[in-house]
Amino acid sequence: MKEDFLYFIWKFQYFKSIQLCTDQNENLEIISTGLQNHDAGPDFLNAHLRINGIEWHGNIEIHVKASDWKKHQHSQNRAYDNVILHVVWENDFNVFRKDHSLIPTLSIKNCIDPKIQDGYTSFRLNDDVIACGSQLENVSRLHKLAMLDRVFLERIERKAGKILQQLQHSNRDWEECTYRTLAEYFGFKVNNDAFQRLSSIVPIRLLKLHAYQPLQVEAFLFGSAGFLSDEANSPYMKKLHREYKFLSHKYAIKEKEMSLHEWKFLRLRPANFPTIRIAQLSSIIINIPHLCSAFLHISSLESFIRFMQHPTSEYWHSHYHFGKTSQKPISAFIGKSALQSLLVNVVVPLQFAYGTDRNESRYKEKAIQLLEAIPPENNKFTKLWKGYSIKNNSSLDSQGLIELYTQYCQKNRCLECSLGVQVLNSKNKH
């Protein structure tokens, strides 16, 4: 038995409520179950009960076992002083208030409709990737749209929140914050951590100071990333070595230099090698003087693709790695799918975060409109939803579907999802 099921049972009152009594044999009438609390403190707030004819207003705490109250040390937490009912699956412990009065307990183990419990059990034992997938056709389109909107907002607010945390770490420098956010996503998941560390070693202000000399920007990044530790075997590499030796001494960054083992190449397509991505990032920094301002003005995928069409230096037109010549010519530009990913994961959250920080809704609305205009994503998460009666017409839908799967389906949070609740409700009606 899980607490989330008990929350569901209490919230929707799926138990025999006629002539309900507490475990202390007091008549209990539930006027309002209260509002579910997803933060710290009691599970339901501002409930309204009538116990033995006396009305009570307060909070509800729910546990599988009553003794969990002691295990969770609620007695030492003043947030639980106003609990008026302890709802449990199994009552194995009496809970008292600070004035030593007993908190009424309701055991609901024997009060639950068996159909609801069976439906919940089938959820828990379902091996399907989407536990309720086969039942989604029974959920109304309105509920699907509402849930997708909800999880999309949760996702974009979480991403924006991460950017706002980065803003604080960057001393509220929006340009530095944008650069670090962009650099991290140039890792395209596999090398995100490494790119994040690289951007922390070389701040944007140093790169901008030397942007008029492109070779120095590349030397900064490749050297700090640890790629210039080997012997130089080409004129290009010799120049990078020379520039990095000067820059690392001038700015005292040699001791912060990364190790090659921090970078991952295994099972990556050559176009995704970190060497190629660093060359592309260098080109962006060299050619775009004000990253933050530029990204805030992006309004379409097409304009973003045009804006980011800056070729890498000539060496990377024929090399995926230092000293290794490619048999085939290499594109000098970032691919369209990669740019769409950067737009969705960097530009849109940045616009939303900026609007949140400045309290300017136009930037947040612009971010949402931009996602609505971008074609749907086609990745391992969105593919999971194919065949189910749920839409994926734009990147806004895709972001909602990704959030729904990774934060709800994958974590078995079916009873916190309105789709799962609707499926269980429909089973209860039959």
Side-chain angles (χ1 to χ4, degrees):
M1 181 52 59
K2 301 287 185 179
E3 280 188 3
D4 62 348
F5 179 59
L6 301 185
Y7 300 155
F8 171 77
I9 292 298
W10 174 258
K11 183 175 182 178
F12 294 100
Q13 297 188 58
Y14 283 135
F15 47 83
K16 301 168 186 175
S17 56
I18 299 174
Q19 295 182 333
L20 202 59
C21 286
T22 68
D23 291 11
Q24 292 76 34
N25 204 30
E26 299 170 304
N27 293 325
L28 173 64
E29 183 182 350
I30 302 168
I31 301 170
S32 169
T33 58
L35 297 173
Q36 188 169 358
N37 176 28
H38 297 284
D39 298 315
D43 297 313
F44 285 80
L45 307 177
N46 303 318
H48 184 189
L49 310 176
R50 187 175 290 120
I51 303 176
N52 270 356
I54 300 174
E55 294 198 9
W56 293 77
H57 296 266
N59 305 326
I60 309 295
E61 180 63 11
I62 297 177
H63 288 121
V64 175
K65 290 186 176 183
S67 55
D68 290 340
W69 180 284
K70 183 178 181 181
K71 186 187 298 184
H72 299 163
Q73 299 182 332
H74 292 333
S75 297
Q76 283 74 51
N77 189 336
R78 294 188 64 84
Y80 293 84
D81 288 351
N82 197 28
V83 170
I84 57 175
L85 184 67
H86 194 198
V87 179
V88 300
W89 182 255
E90 180 183 339
N91 187 2
D92 63 343
F93 182 78
N94 287 328
V95 174
F96 295 87
R97 300 186 179 91
K98 288 189 178 298
D99 64 0
H100 305 296
S101 61
L102 184 69
I103 297 178
T105 303
L106 174 65
S107 300
I108 58 176
K109 184 175 183 177
N110 298 317
C111 303
I112 297 174
D113 187 328
K115 287 188 292 186
I116 286 291
Q117 192 170 348
D118 291 344
Y120 171 74
T121 301
S122 68
F123 262 168
R124 306 298 297 192
L125 299 178
N126 195 336
D127 291 331
D128 292 344
V129 176
I130 311 294
C132 67
S134 61
Q135 303 293 321
L136 277 178
E137 59 185 19
N138 298 324
V139 179
S140 71
R141 181 171 176 269
L142 186 61
H143 277 105
K144 291 172 187 172
L145 291 174
M147 188 62 191
L148 269 187
D149 284 346
R150 172 185 145 190
V151 290
F152 161 72
L153 283 174
E154 289 176 6
R155 185 171 182 81
I156 197 169
E157 285 173 354
R158 180 162 49 79
K159 286 186 173 185
K162 185 178 178 182
I163 291 175
L164 292 175
Q165 286 182 339
Q166 182 63 257
L167 180 66
Q168 298 309 314
H169 295 323
S170 305
N171 295 317
R172 292 198 56 78
D173 182 337
W174 272 105
E175 189 68 10
E176 179 69 20
C177 176
T178 303
Y179 157 66
R180 291 198 179 192
T181 302
L182 176 65
E184 178 183 349
Y185 276 93
F186 255 81
F188 290 88
K189 293 186 179 179
V190 176
N191 283 297
N192 279 15
D193 291 343
F195 266 98
Q196 189 177 45
R197 181 156 138 64
L198 177 59
S199 67
S200 70
I201 295 172
V202 191
I204 190 70
R205 61 178 180 81
L206 290 187
L207 296 175
K208 291 301 182 184
L209 279 174
H210 297 268
Y212 64 97
Q213 293 190 52
L215 193 71
Q216 290 191 343
V217 172
E218 291 188 47
F220 250 135
L221 292 175
F222 280 118
S224 300
F227 286 105
L228 300 182
S229 56
D230 296 333
E231 288 292 323
N233 58 10
S234 70
Y236 171 72
M237 288 184 67
K238 288 177 181 178
K239 290 177 183 177
L240 287 180
H241 271 270
R242 185 172 60 249
E243 294 293 351
Y244 181 63
K245 184 177 180 181
F246 164 74
L247 294 168
S248 62
H249 176 74
K250 180 177 181 179
Y251 296 107
I253 59 175
K254 182 69 178 175
E255 64 276 10
K256 302 176 185 177
E257 186 178 305
M258 298 173 67
S259 301
L260 284 180
H261 70 79
E262 296 180 60
W263 298 96
K264 297 180 179 67
F265 287 82
L266 190 64
R267 299 189 185 90
L268 287 180
R269 293 184 301 107
N272 246 345
F273 280 2
T275 42
I276 294 294
R277 294 306 185 193
I278 290 174
Q280 292 169 344
L281 180 62
S282 300
S283 178
I284 296 303
I285 291 166
I286 290 163
N287 289 283
I288 303 178
H290 306 289
L291 279 174
C292 181
S293 176
F295 286 177
L296 290 176
H297 284 85
I298 294 295
S299 57
S300 70
L301 175 58
E302 292 71 25
S303 64
F304 185 64
I305 291 173
R306 288 195 302 271
F307 185 72
M308 298 287 276
Q309 290 299 296
H310 301 291
T312 55
S313 56
E314 188 175 351
Y315 183 84
W316 299 106
H317 300 179
S318 58
H319 293 77
Y320 283 115
H321 210 319
F322 283 105
K324 297 180 181 178
T325 305
S326 171
Q327 299 299 314
K328 298 179 180 179
I330 301 170
S331 174
F333 303 97
I334 305 173
K336 183 176 179 179
S337 63
L339 286 173
Q340 180 170 332
S341 180
L342 289 173
L343 183 58
V344 169
N345 292 295
V346 177
V347 176
V348 167
L350 179 77
Q351 292 179 351
F352 199 91
Y354 190 85
T356 301
D357 183 65
R358 299 300 178 93
N359 197 25
E360 293 190 46
S361 59
R362 63 190 177 103
Y363 286 103
K364 297 164 76 171
E365 291 169 2
K366 183 177 184 178
I368 293 172
Q369 290 169 359
L370 181 51
L371 268 184
E372 284 181 314
I374 302 172
E377 297 173 74
N378 183 30
N379 55 43
K380 65 179 182 180
F381 297 116
T382 58
K383 287 176 182 177
L384 294 173
W385 293 98
K386 285 186 176 179
Y388 297 119
S389 53
I390 192 162
K391 67 167 187 168
N392 183 22
N393 299 328
S394 69
S395 281
L396 188 146
D397 294 332
S398 301
Q399 287 290 290
L401 291 174
I402 293 169
E403 186 77 359
L404 183 56
Y405 176 73
T406 58
Q407 301 302 314
Y408 288 84
C409 304
Q410 208 170 36
K411 296 180 179 179
N412 295 317
R413 294 173 62 194
C414 303
L415 299 182
E416 297 176 56
C417 168
S418 63
L419 304 184
V421 169
Q422 287 301 311
V423 167
L424 274 181
N425 282 342
S426 66
K427 287 185 176 182
N428 187 47
K429 290 175 183 176
H430 293 90

